[in-house]
Amino acid sequence: MLDSTLSGRVQALLDQFGAALEAGDIDAAAQMFVTDCYWRDLVAFTWNLRTMEGRDQVADMLRSQLAGTRPTGWQLDERELPTEEDGVTTAWIRFETAVARGYGLLRLRDGRIWTLLTTMQELKGHEEAKGFARPLGAKHGAGKNRTTWLEEREAEARELGYDRQPYTVIVGGGQGGIALGARLRQLGVPTIILDRHERPGDQWRKRYKSLCLHDPVWYDHLPYIKFPDNWPVFTPKDKVGDWLEMYTKVMELNYWTRSSCKRASYDEAAKEWTVVVDRDGQEVVLKPRQLVLATGMSGKPRIPEFPGADSFRGEQHHSSAHPGPDAYAGKKVVIIGANNSAHDIAAALWEHDADVTMVQRSSTHIVRSDTLMEIGLGGLYSEQAVQNGVTTEKADLIFASLPYRIMHQWQIPLYDQMKERDKEFYDGLERAGFRLDWGDDGSGLFMKYLRRGSGYYIDVGASQLIIDGEVKLAHGEVAEITEDGVRLDSGQLLPADLIVYATGYGSMNGWAADLIGQDVADKVGKVWGLGSDTTKDPGPWEGEQRNMWKPTQQEALWFHGGNLHQSRHYSLYLALQLKARMEGIDTPVYQLQEVHHLG
């Protein structure tokens, strides 16, 4: 049990910080930070997702935002005592602004603020109806012509999009669109989710049969309803699909299946979108104020155009369209690519007696699933973490509090441990000729994902097939596709009955180009990446994910997605931004995302 002096010292600093802010003494507030400080704000101060680095950036943000934000009530969270380790004090904090209640995480070094996370949690006067404010449900008493819950839901389904317009339209009904739709539903924002599939969850059901979540269950919860305690650690794809379908029903989402967005345009004067939808063969025109593309950061397949592809006499498709291994027993299969999908598909084809060759065009980072769970995720997302009081929500905020600029410094030692623990495994891969990497700076999987969203495989068994020579390996670029195979730039010819293009996905603004126009896609610019100036993540430094979950250069156009963790965590902040706009709350955005790259 810690004594109260640490809490007292931290609260005294918070009191001093709050007093400086209330007095408008920006210089005094900035001096309370160490020189190499980081203040990450999720909506509360900036109406944006921004990380301020150094005192000058902190002061600049406060000069822009302080008068409108009017923060008060800086307090330690009474449920969490501050801790001190290696000279760093960590404390959970609460605060308020003029329009919202916030929560955050503070780290102090040498008596000054080193990292500060501030997040908006709820808008005053627009809180979610939960806890003591949960809806009654039953209508006690008597009255003529009363409607039931079912009748009200059926009426809403009939009317929304026809007799009355949604405030928000979400294009894409995977986990991202569903999580955001649930948040908006709880905030009372009329929303329609559009998805082209027959049923919610088909985005998962219709992928290759061996697909499962490579992230563990504690990392993958959706908002409001967590997976049960007996849910498997790694969820099979069809089970994910069934959960998403159930979730859309019990969360009462207005989810339009068999509905494709054909085109969209924005009226700057009317502040309104026109969204033309093919709803099961009928054209419907929606007029929302806000449009969210939740098509997934891995949503637009990147299909290369190789010379001779039209002449190939076999079958060829992108990994996103791979039906599974059943039809390919005894067939020669060439997989172009060597990341997650390539490995998953290769293993399943081998299990069904196909002759599989994987073409590795560039090096790949591989980490074994068990090792990643234990070393990489265990402290935040594991059963042990839950037993230690680290809920998923708490883990999300801890992870969010680590500044992207220095996150790799935390990651490198973890991946060094993994490399040493699994040395024999990696030696085997290298003997087999597999080209490994650990990221440009040795920081491993998470940084690769955040920077470029590609270039890795979480091993659940396929790597051993490569080590054993059961899945063959080839290297080089594709020079051409012939009638009966793939010719590499080395001259090597790989005979094939099937070619699978496991070649990844393009930037999400490609969807904006398709639906709205190339001019809007270019106006918004590249989506995803930090600007780290590492492979496939060109600079300059952004400090946040480009264009994700925040305002873009195109008014009223938003991008939402990422893995289940990101879809869950960031859906709150995007939903609050949309709710504030619906309610007419002033939302002055600090440092709107600049455009440096088009895609």
Side-chain angles (χ1 to χ4, degrees):
M1 182 76 177
L2 289 173
D3 63 36
S4 61
T5 56
L6 182 59
S7 295
R9 290 199 304 271
V10 177
Q11 186 59 57
L13 180 138
L14 288 173
D15 292 343
Q16 183 185 351
F17 185 57
L21 294 179
E22 287 190 54
D25 193 342
I26 290 170
D27 290 339
Q31 287 301 313
M32 295 186 65
F33 289 79
V34 299
T35 54
D36 57 332
C37 63
Y38 302 89
W39 182 347
R40 188 177 192 215
D41 181 66
L42 305 183
V43 185
F45 278 72
T46 60
W47 289 105
N48 202 347
L49 276 61
R50 296 295 303 182
T51 300
M52 284 60 69
E53 302 180 2
R55 291 174 179 170
D56 288 347
Q57 289 189 17
V58 167
D60 185 74
M61 185 277 285
L62 288 173
R63 279 192 291 270
S64 171
Q65 304 297 107
L66 182 57
T69 304
R70 303 199 301 280
T72 57
W74 296 86
Q75 299 288 330
L76 288 172
D77 182 351
E78 65 280 359
R79 302 166 301 177
E80 302 276 356
L81 284 172
T83 60
E84 195 165 32
E85 186 177 356
D86 298 329
V88 175
T89 299
T90 302
W92 294 94
I93 61 172
R94 298 181 181 278
F95 63 95
E96 294 191 10
T97 69
V99 299
R101 296 180 187 88
Y103 196 67
L105 186 61
L106 175 74
R107 292 186 185 89
L108 303 178
R109 203 181 67 201
D110 301 324
R112 295 178 188 267
I113 300 169
W114 175 35
T115 72
L116 175 61
L117 172 71
T118 50
T119 72
M120 183 181 290
Q121 291 295 301
E122 60 182 5
L123 291 161
K124 294 177 181 177
H126 305 288
E127 297 83 359
E128 293 185 14
K130 61 184 180 181
F132 288 108
R134 72 168 72 228
L136 187 60
K139 296 180 179 178
H140 294 156
K144 295 184 182 296
N145 302 315
R146 290 199 300 166
T147 55
T148 65
W149 170 85
L150 179 60
E151 289 167 338
E152 290 174 357
R153 281 291 294 135
E154 289 174 338
E156 181 182 24
R158 281 195 309 272
E159 295 167 5
L160 192 63
Y162 297 93
D163 299 331
R164 57 191 179 91
Q165 288 298 316
Y167 180 76
T168 300
V169 165
I170 300 172
V171 180
Q175 69 262 15
I178 286 172
L180 179 60
R183 299 277 195 190
L184 292 171
R185 178 78 180 180
Q186 298 309 301
L187 287 169
V189 179
T191 301
I192 291 174
I193 303 169
L194 304 176
D195 195 84
R196 61 186 174 84
H197 293 93
E198 293 283 323
R199 297 160 56 196
D202 276 354
Q203 306 86 346
W204 289 88
R205 293 188 192 94
K206 293 186 177 181
R207 296 292 305 279
Y208 54 90
K209 66 188 290 186
S210 62
L211 178 66
C212 70
L213 290 177
H214 288 234
D215 300 318
V217 62
W218 308 276
Y219 189 78
D220 289 335
H221 294 301
L222 289 178
Y224 307 112
I225 307 175
K226 292 185 176 180
F227 295 117
D229 288 346
N230 62 351
W231 199 259
V233 174
F234 300 108
T235 312
K237 71 178 182 72
D238 296 283
K239 197 171 180 68
V240 177
D242 289 348
W243 183 265
L244 293 175
E245 185 171 26
M246 177 278 297
Y247 189 91
T248 62
K249 291 180 180 179
V250 299
M251 295 306 291
E252 302 178 15
L253 305 186
N254 294 300
Y255 190 105
W256 287 13
T257 56
R258 299 186 298 278
S259 297
S260 300
C261 178
K262 309 304 290 183
R263 60 187 180 275
S265 59
Y266 187 64
D267 186 327
E268 299 279 353
K271 305 295 184 187
E272 180 181 85
W273 287 94
T274 297
V275 180
V276 180
V277 179
D278 179 339
R279 188 181 190 190
D280 200 16
Q282 292 189 330
E283 184 173 285
V284 182
V285 178
L286 301 175
K287 296 280 191 175
R289 295 285 180 168
Q290 308 288 339
L291 181 63
V292 181
L293 300 187
T295 45
M297 58 81 59
S298 297
K300 190 169 180 57
R302 182 185 288 118
I303 303 175
E305 296 181 0
F306 293 127
D310 291 345
S311 69
F312 183 61
R313 291 182 297 200
E315 184 182 349
Q316 53 187 322
H317 51 239
H318 189 265
S319 59
S320 60
H322 183 63
D326 295 11
Y328 305 108
K331 303 288 188 180
K332 292 185 180 297
V333 182
V334 173
I335 302 173
I336 311 298
N339 296 331
N340 256 337
S341 294
H343 281 81
D344 284 347
I345 291 169
L349 286 164
W350 175 85
E351 289 177 342
H352 285 71
D353 299 318
D355 180 339
V356 185
T357 300
M358 184 186 295
V359 178
Q360 187 179 28
R361 299 183 298 164
S362 58
S363 63
T364 306
H365 171 56
I366 292 183
V367 59
R368 299 181 82 174
S369 175
D370 290 350
T371 303
L372 178 66
M373 282 185 60
E374 183 176 328
I375 297 176
L377 287 170
L380 293 180
Y381 300 98
S382 66
E383 196 61 42
Q384 188 60 52
V386 173
Q387 297 302 316
N388 292 339
V390 182
T391 63
T392 298
E393 294 78 11
K394 188 175 179 181
D396 289 348
L397 289 169
I398 294 171
F399 194 75
S401 75
L402 302 176
Y404 286 131
R405 174 75 82 173
I406 56 174
M407 186 179 285
H408 64 284
Q409 296 175 15
W410 273 281
Q411 296 293 309
I412 290 169
L414 300 179
Y415 286 88
D416 285 344
Q417 288 181 52
M418 297 181 203
K419 190 185 303 185
E420 183 60 34
R421 169 172 159 160
D422 294 328
K423 183 178 185 303
E424 186 177 332
F425 167 76
Y426 292 115
D427 288 347
L429 277 170
E430 290 184 329
R431 283 195 300 270
F434 196 88
R435 295 170 183 168
L436 293 165
D437 74 65
W438 292 84
D440 287 16
D441 52 8
S443 58
L445 184 139
F446 280 119
M447 296 312 300
K448 261 203 164 187
Y449 173 71
L450 294 168
R451 290 165 173 170
R452 54 183 278 191
S454 65
Y456 50 81
Y457 168 55
I458 301 174
D459 178 46
V460 292
S463 290
Q464 194 61 48
L465 297 176
I466 293 171
I467 291 170
D468 295 340
E470 299 291 340
V471 168
K472 296 190 283 290
L473 196 60
H475 296 99
E477 293 294 337
V478 176
E480 64 172 337
I481 307 296
T482 68
E483 289 185 350
D484 52 9
V486 177
R487 188 181 305 279
L488 302 181
D489 54 4
S490 64
Q492 182 181 8
L493 179 64
L494 304 173
D497 302 300
L498 167 67
I499 302 171
V500 179
Y501 297 107
T503 46
Y505 299 84
S507 174
M508 283 178 68
N509 69 335
W511 290 109
D514 290 350
L515 300 177
I516 310 167
Q518 190 63 52
D519 57 333
V520 171
D522 291 346
K523 182 179 180 181
V524 168
K526 180 178 171 66
V527 180
W528 205 261
L530 301 172
S532 63
D533 208 22
T534 56
T535 304
K536 295 190 178 181
D537 183 28
W541 177 249
E542 305 281 0
E544 293 286 344
Q545 291 287 357
R546 291 187 190 92
N547 287 312
M548 290 297 296
W549 317 297
K550 60 185 178 181
T552 68
Q553 290 287 348
Q554 172 57 57
E555 183 180 12
L557 177 65
W558 312 76
F559 293 88
H560 177 64
N563 58 29
L564 277 158
H565 154 253
Q566 290 169 310
S567 293
R568 171 188 67 247
H569 180 64
Y570 290 104
S571 59
L572 170 62
Y573 308 112
L574 178 47
L576 288 169
Q577 292 173 82
L578 295 170
K579 174 66 171 178
R581 283 162 174 78
M582 187 183 88
E583 298 297 341
I585 296 170
D586 191 26
T587 58
V589 176
Y590 177 69
Q591 289 192 351
L592 191 64
Q593 176 81 58
E594 294 183 14
V595 176
H596 300 290
H597 309 283
L598 300 185

